[in-house]
Amino acid sequence: MNQTTAVILARRPDRTFVADDLSLGTIDLPELAAGQALVRNQYMSLDPSTRGRMDPGEKQYTTNFTIGGPLDGSAVGVVVESSSPKLPVGATVRHRLGWREYAVVDDAAATLCDISVAPATAWLSSLGQTGFTAYAGLLPVGRLQPGQTVLVSGAGGAVGSMAGQFARLLGAGRVIGSAGGAEKCAWLRDDCGFDVVINYRDGDFAAELPGAAPDGIDLFFDNVGGWQFAAALQNMAINGRVSMCGAISNFGTQEQPSTACLIEAVLRRITIQGFIVRDYEDLRPEFEQRVIGWLASGELVDRATIVEGIANAGAGLAGLLSGANVGKALVRLSE
Amino acid sequence: MNQTTAVILARRPDRTFVADDLSLGTIDLPELAAGQALVRNQYMSLDPSTRGRMDPGEKQYTTNFTIGGPLDGSAVGVVVESSSPKLPVGATVRHRLGWREYAVVDDAAATLCDISVAPATAWLSSLGQTGFTAYAGLLPVGRLQPGQTVLVSGAGGAVGSMAGQFARLLGAGRVIGSAGGAEKCAWLRDDCGFDVVINYRDGDFAAELPGAAPDGIDLFFDNVGGWQFAAALQNMAINGRVSMCGAISNFGTQEQPSTACLIEAVLRRITIQGFIVRDYEDLRPEFEQRVIGWLASGELVDRATIVEGIANAGAGLAGLLSGANVGKALVRLSE
């Protein structure tokens, strides 16, 4: 094995990403050096941040993709050859070289996944960066206290559905979500235990929010930005906090509200904090312990929308960016 | 004395405030009750927040003015009659009933000003809410550390000129200001000790800022909002902080940037915190002690633009909102 099929950046997207911005190609795999293993990828994660990395601008905390070069991202797979005692053949491992069918990974950059406590897919979802992002945004960033009112935008997505459920499990008094479409809203209410879900596509989010949060929002976990962000600021409690996880509404061509809405941050003494999950790595053990417990007790719903095969990865990402997924979005690369 | 001349809200401004939105009128003064004093106002403070209180919208932390009713705001004056042992005749006191020539004040809502350590005007400026706002925005909110790079927008104004000078006196490594017009810029550089001042009216603020802050901005003390806010976000250091004091650019009819700029808060892990100075009252003793020391040593410049007479108060406020003042804006009501 010295080559593998991989997803290549064919061209930089013209604002709205389309699957044709990517192509399939063949890339070389290096010979295994000491401390490396060859992994057959089983699942890879589709993430909104991948879209940003296709642009040329400075990203501060990560690298941009090169035109003609392969994408990368979180994946789990099975070790099929190994030169590392830490990564035995047959083990399931998580690493950062997805968007290809096989990968040569360094043992320092891979972690073993215990599939006796949770399936491989969960190690990319509730137990992966997805869940950990929700956890960091609620606790160290958002300083959630029991009894507080939490709003999660983009709640039907991977991070949002975890953020709302974690908030409930951590004792929030009221969990409000926004999502696009009746199916997601019903799932969040009926299966994930959200108290109120607003369908931002059908109704008037800004008009419905005051009724959903009559005592004000203590913590707003924002994945969306834009008009939902502006409306949320108008409904924050005094001294409320905004955990800014992302702003998926920026990726498209939607008109955006003006920064004039930020005067509410002064009037209501709001703290808005952007965060990157990698800054909170010291919390991972307590995070994993809690999530494994919630999965075992059945209190946490970990649902994935799974696209089949590497050839459909680009279409899957386009779907993610347009809100087509419910829960975590994954690509199955092999059994 | 049972009546006084006062400034009345004649009508709510149509976006841009004009002096004719106010009128002069006569209001009744109550008989002195126990614990009250009659004060002849000497100086009153002109503040951007007065503009917001003329609108009908909810302000969260203060009250709006009523059409036909008097304005109010910070003032200092001399006690001319007293029914309170705490407010002796002849004392200089600070209170919240400006925008009128005489006021009946409660002793619980008035503080004695020691004019042997600083003139009456300074008790509305460097030693008043103006200076205290700068102090709160730098320390408890902005968590300024020695050696850090600080940007102050609206630096030629009352709070901004204090924020930049306090930052320098508290050990900032580099103090950058933005101001409108060559005179303010020269004053900030030559007299107030700013390291770099950008004239946002003459040049391209967004283009000049990277050169002014080559290592990134650790703390942005924002009085302006809008395009300067958006440009500053693009030049923040990782883990930088924004103390949002106000957004005077919102008051006019200027076009505003979109919230899409806030993605920088995620990428750079920025914390944006709006604040109201009244939440930090426990710091007032240490604040006053420090500022009295800086004034005594001559290290702090406290400059005021003074408008003469209550009839000119509205014109003075219009001037403040258009950036005509250098330093603190005051109205002299009597000797």
Side-chain angles (χ1 to χ4, degrees):
Chain A
M1 171 83 45
N2 50 23
Q3 288 194 314
T4 189
T5 300
V7 178
I8 306 293
L9 182 64
R11 63 186 182 209
R12 300 203 184 278
D14 178 20
R15 283 203 76 117
T16 300
F17 168 80
V18 292
D20 284 351
D21 294 331
L22 305 179
S23 62
L24 281 188
T26 302
I27 61 170
D28 292 338
L29 289 169
E31 293 293 316
L32 289 195
Q36 292 188 322
L38 177 66
V39 174
R40 173 171 51 80
N41 285 333
Q42 294 174 292
Y43 292 94
M44 54 171 269
S45 172
L46 293 172
D47 299 289
S49 59
T50 302
R51 170 64 189 85
R53 297 176 65 198
M54 295 178 190
D55 288 333
E58 171 63 65
K59 287 297 172 296
Q60 301 296 337
Y61 72 102
T62 185
T63 53
N64 292 342
F65 300 120
T66 305
I67 295 172
L71 274 60
D72 60 54
S74 294
V76 292
V78 176
V79 176
V80 293
E81 278 182 55
S82 183
S83 296
S84 165
K86 296 180 190 163
L87 302 177
V89 170
T92 298
V93 298
R94 186 176 60 200
H95 58 86
R96 300 281 311 156
L97 291 176
W99 297 87
R100 62 203 70 186
E101 293 187 322
Y102 287 82
V104 170
V105 305
D106 294 331
D107 57 14
T111 53
L112 293 171
C113 300
D114 183 350
I115 56 173
S116 74
V117 298
T121 54
W123 287 97
L124 291 176
S125 178
S126 56
L127 280 165
Q129 288 305 79
T130 291
F132 195 37
T133 299
Y135 192 80
L138 291 173
L139 286 184
V141 179
R143 298 182 218 156
L144 174 64
Q145 297 293 322
Q148 291 189 329
T149 293
V150 178
L151 169 67
V152 180
S153 65
V159 171
S161 63
M162 287 298 146
Q165 291 187 87
F166 289 178
R168 172 174 58 75
L169 291 162
L170 292 166
R174 188 178 183 85
V175 179
I176 306 160
S178 75
E183 184 205 345
K184 285 184 192 171
C185 291
W187 174 65
L188 292 167
R189 238 180 339 247
D190 300 341
D191 297 345
C192 297
F194 282 62
D195 296 292
V196 188
V197 187
I198 302 176
N199 184 343
Y200 72 85
R201 283 194 178 149
D202 277 8
D204 181 342
F205 178 79
E208 289 180 45
L209 192 53
D215 300 322
I217 300 156
D218 298 300
L219 172 57
F220 172 33
F221 190 112
D222 187 24
N223 297 298
V224 171
W227 294 104
Q228 292 188 52
F229 175 87
L233 283 197
Q234 298 280 350
N235 289 277
M236 296 297 291
I238 302 296
N239 295 317
R241 297 179 58 80
V242 181
S243 289
M244 278 194 64
C245 179
I248 201 167
S249 73
N250 278 7
F251 289 152
T253 52
Q254 294 111 305
E255 184 205 6
Q256 300 281 328
S258 94
T259 57
C261 62
L262 287 169
I263 193 64
E264 293 298 325
V266 179
L267 302 179
R268 297 170 194 260
R269 296 86 130 178
I270 299 168
T271 302
I272 301 165
Q273 187 170 349
F275 72 100
I276 300 288
V277 64
R278 77 153 65 137
D279 294 338
Y280 301 91
E281 202 58 41
D282 56 327
L283 295 178
R284 195 179 288 271
E286 72 168 52
F287 154 74
E288 288 187 353
Q289 188 179 16
R290 276 181 148 154
V291 173
I292 288 170
W294 290 330
L295 288 172
S297 67
E299 295 171 285
L300 181 66
V301 176
D302 185 337
R303 174 172 169 178
T305 299
I306 298 179
V307 170
E308 293 293 337
I310 195 168
N312 290 314
L317 182 64
L320 171 78
L321 294 169
S322 68
N325 62 304
V326 180
K328 181 66 188 171
L330 298 173
V331 179
R332 190 185 342 243
L333 299 169
S334 69
E335 283 304 310
Chain B
M1 169 81 47
N2 49 22
Q3 290 195 313
T4 188
T5 300
V7 178
I8 306 294
L9 182 63
R11 64 186 181 208
R12 300 204 184 278
D14 179 21
R15 283 205 76 118
T16 300
F17 168 80
V18 293
D20 284 350
D21 295 330
L22 305 178
S23 63
L24 280 187
T26 301
I27 61 170
D28 292 338
L29 288 168
E31 293 294 315
L32 287 196
Q36 292 188 324
L38 177 67
V39 175
R40 174 171 50 77
N41 285 333
Q42 294 174 295
Y43 292 94
M44 54 172 267
S45 172
L46 293 172
D47 298 290
S49 58
T50 302
R51 170 65 189 85
R53 297 176 66 197
M54 295 178 190
D55 288 333
E58 171 64 63
K59 286 298 172 294
Q60 300 296 335
Y61 72 101
T62 185
T63 52
N64 292 341
F65 299 122
T66 305
I67 295 172
L71 274 60
D72 60 53
S74 294
V76 292
V78 176
V79 176
V80 292
E81 276 182 56
S82 184
S83 296
S84 166
K86 296 179 189 163
L87 302 178
V89 169
T92 298
V93 298
R94 186 176 59 200
H95 59 86
R96 299 281 310 156
L97 292 176
W99 298 86
R100 62 202 72 183
E101 293 187 323
Y102 286 82
V104 170
V105 304
D106 294 330
D107 57 14
T111 53
L112 292 172
C113 300
D114 182 351
I115 57 173
S116 74
V117 299
T121 53
W123 287 96
L124 291 176
S125 178
S126 56
L127 281 165
Q129 288 306 78
T130 292
F132 195 37
T133 299
Y135 192 80
L138 291 172
L139 286 184
V141 179
R143 300 181 216 156
L144 175 64
Q145 298 293 322
Q148 291 189 329
T149 293
V150 177
L151 169 66
V152 180
S153 64
V159 172
S161 64
M162 287 297 146
Q165 291 187 86
F166 289 176
R168 172 174 58 76
L169 291 162
L170 292 166
R174 188 177 183 86
V175 179
I176 306 159
S178 75
E183 185 205 345
K184 285 183 192 172
C185 291
W187 174 64
L188 292 167
R189 240 183 336 250
D190 300 343
D191 297 345
C192 297
F194 282 62
D195 296 292
V196 187
V197 187
I198 302 175
N199 184 344
Y200 73 85
R201 283 194 178 149
D202 277 8
D204 181 341
F205 179 79
E208 289 180 47
L209 193 53
D215 300 321
I217 300 156
D218 297 300
L219 172 57
F220 172 32
F221 190 112
D222 187 24
N223 297 298
V224 172
W227 294 104
Q228 291 188 53
F229 175 87
L233 283 198
Q234 298 281 349
N235 289 278
M236 296 297 290
I238 302 295
N239 296 317
R241 297 180 57 82
V242 180
S243 289
M244 279 195 63
C245 179
I248 201 166
S249 73
N250 279 7
F251 289 152
T253 52
Q254 293 112 308
E255 184 204 6
Q256 300 281 328
S258 93
T259 56
C261 63
L262 287 169
I263 193 64
E264 292 299 325
V266 179
L267 302 178
R268 297 169 194 260
R269 295 88 127 180
I270 299 168
T271 301
I272 302 165
Q273 186 169 349
F275 72 100
I276 301 288
V277 65
R278 78 151 68 134
D279 294 338
Y280 301 91
E281 202 58 40
D282 56 326
L283 294 178
R284 196 180 288 273
E286 74 167 53
F287 154 74
E288 287 187 355
Q289 188 181 19
R290 274 179 149 157
V291 173
I292 287 170
W294 289 331
L295 287 171
S297 67
E299 293 170 285
L300 181 67
V301 176
D302 185 338
R303 174 171 170 178
T305 298
I306 297 178
V307 171
E308 293 293 339
I310 194 168
N312 290 314
L317 182 62
L320 169 78
L321 293 170
S322 69
N325 61 305
V326 180
K328 181 65 189 172
L330 297 173
V331 179
R332 189 183 345 241
L333 298 169
S334 69
E335 282 306 310

